Amino acid sequence: MTSPSMQATACAQPNIALVKYWGKRDAALNLPAAGSLSITLAALHTRTHLRFDPALAQDEVVLNGRRESEHTRKIGGFLDLFRARARIETRARIESGNDFPTGAGLASSASGFAALAVAADGALALGLAKHELSMLARRGSGSAARSIFGGFVEMAAGDRDDGTDAFATPLLDAAAWPLEVVIAITTREQKATSSRDGMQASQRTSPYYRDWIATVPGDLATARDAVLARDFEKLAHVSEASCMAMHAVMLATRPALIYWNGATLACIQCIRSLQAEGTGVFFTIDAGPQVKAVCLPQAAARVADALRGIDGVEDVLASGLGEGARLETVSA
Ligand code: 2P0
């Protein structure tokens, strides 16, 4: 049972998938159709304060300083998973803020649900193990399962119907291979099609969907080997291939899912020119128009300068690799 008011604050960072997740084997439990591999960023944060309060008649969500109604049902349903474990029905107030653009392909749902899972675990004193937190974070957003951990992280698709084997595990610490990520922001607008809707559409209509899912285990094995051997070139090849195969599936979806804009393609071409000169960099792009350039540390400043000079690039962010989601404060 909870005391009258239990609260906690948690912080999490987004992650960028190098072997991509695009498709589900079960929509209700949000089980991925294939595994994925990611890096957790250091410089972008979601901070979430959660307070269970018996005086509340319903859950309240404040996102980036604004009272939200759009996401309240989904977030309430997510908190129900934790309330069920704590055997309470107490409603909660959630205040969450990002220090980076929300909903524009920078994985705010990954850091958001990872932070909320850790805050709920802390506020309700559940003492969940990390793999359980990852499994629960997955219910909010598949990519959130990965932000529970820092550095290089692998998400398992699992094959159990109940999803108890579909969680992330850490592969290599951030400090063990300190890569840098330079992010070219090409728009701050919200995307037109959410990842969830886009994945469902690809699964239903893209003629390449099955082949895409079949390529993931091989790409995962290659990427895992590359990470453990700190082989940048090998990681670059497999990451770009996974990204482009996913976008091919998106483009072949009917109607086509085009997440890029003109500046996205200009950034890819710029990164290819830098590679031809021997610069240690590769690109990856998610369900949005931003381009993430993964760099060897000595290449990051040059890559940032080059991307900043491209027409249509509104801003450039840089980040190292960071830690997993964590509890900052907890109190009654
Ligand atoms: C990824 N993306 O692996 C891929 C690449 C976008 C493109 O994970 O439906 O917001 O909530 O599980 O996690 C974005 O998908 O989707 C994503 P749901 P999520 O990073």
Side-chain angles (χ1 to χ4, degrees):
M1 288 296 109
T2 51
S3 61
S5 176
M6 296 194 77
Q7 47 190 320
T9 304
C11 182
Q13 284 110 240
N15 68 80
I16 309 285
L18 302 182
V19 176
K20 303 294 189 186
Y21 150 53
W22 196 254
K24 301 181 198 291
R25 65 182 173 91
D26 183 286
L29 290 174
N30 206 29
L31 297 172
S36 54
L37 189 149
S38 61
I39 44 181
T40 303
L41 300 180
L44 318 183
H45 306 91
T46 297
R47 186 159 278 110
T48 299
H49 179 76
L50 171 65
R51 177 168 53 88
F52 288 93
D53 184 346
L56 290 172
Q58 55 194 21
D59 292 322
E60 293 178 4
V61 178
V62 177
L63 203 55
N64 293 319
R66 275 211 198 145
R67 183 74 186 270
E68 272 276 337
S69 52
E70 194 193 333
H71 299 107
T72 305
R73 251 187 77 179
K74 182 174 177 187
I75 290 172
F78 181 74
L79 283 182
D80 285 343
L81 302 170
F82 293 85
R83 282 189 277 247
R85 284 174 186 246
R87 297 203 191 89
I88 60 161
E89 293 192 358
T90 314
R91 302 293 105 181
R93 181 176 167 88
I94 301 111
E95 275 184 69
S96 188
N98 297 327
D99 60 5
F100 59 95
T102 300
L106 286 181
S108 54
S109 66
S111 49
F113 282 106
L116 189 54
V118 170
D121 177 55
L124 298 175
L126 294 173
L128 295 168
K130 290 233 172 170
H131 76 277
E132 292 176 289
L133 285 172
S134 175
M135 216 184 292
L136 284 162
R138 184 203 77 225
R139 299 284 294 271
S141 201
S143 50
R146 302 186 306 236
S147 274
I148 294 296
F149 300 101
F152 297 79
V153 178
E154 184 169 347
M155 173 72 193
D159 55 17
R160 292 190 203 141
D161 288 345
D162 64 1
T164 51
D165 54 355
F167 53 81
T169 48
L171 201 56
L172 188 71
D173 280 354
W177 197 16
L179 300 180
E180 291 283 324
V181 183
V182 174
I183 302 170
I185 306 282
T186 64
T187 181
R188 289 181 187 276
E189 282 172 23
Q190 296 260 346
K191 60 192 167 196
T193 309
S194 71
S195 292
R196 191 156 294 199
D197 292 347
M199 276 184 217
Q200 274 168 6
S202 293
Q203 202 155 350
R204 259 196 333 267
T205 67
S206 178
Y208 305 149
Y209 179 78
R210 278 163 163 263
D211 287 343
W212 151 248
I213 294 300
T215 64
V216 178
D219 284 350
L220 264 181
T222 305
R224 194 187 304 126
D225 288 351
V227 167
L228 295 177
R230 275 77 141 180
D231 184 336
F232 188 79
E233 210 169 318
K234 188 169 176 174
L235 188 61
H237 284 141
V238 71
S239 300
E240 290 189 352
S242 174
C243 166
M244 289 311 222
M246 179 186 74
H247 283 278
V249 171
M250 293 164 164
L251 289 171
T253 299
R254 303 172 189 202
L257 292 168
I258 307 174
Y259 284 111
W260 299 2
N261 59 32
T264 311
L265 191 54
C267 289
I268 294 174
Q269 284 162 339
C270 169
I271 290 167
R272 289 195 141 192
S273 308
L274 290 167
Q275 287 170 333
E277 293 168 8
T279 307
V281 59
F282 66 85
F283 65 82
T284 189
I285 303 153
D286 294 299
Q290 328 300 8
V291 178
K292 290 100 178 192
V294 182
C295 312
L296 289 172
Q298 63 272 24
R302 172 151 174 63
V303 171
D305 277 351
L307 292 176
R308 202 174 281 119
I310 292 174
D311 265 358
V313 171
E314 294 183 4
D315 201 359
V316 169
L317 313 175
S319 176
L321 307 191
E323 55 183 320
R326 63 221 169 263
L327 202 56
E328 291 189 328
T329 62
V330 57
S331 58

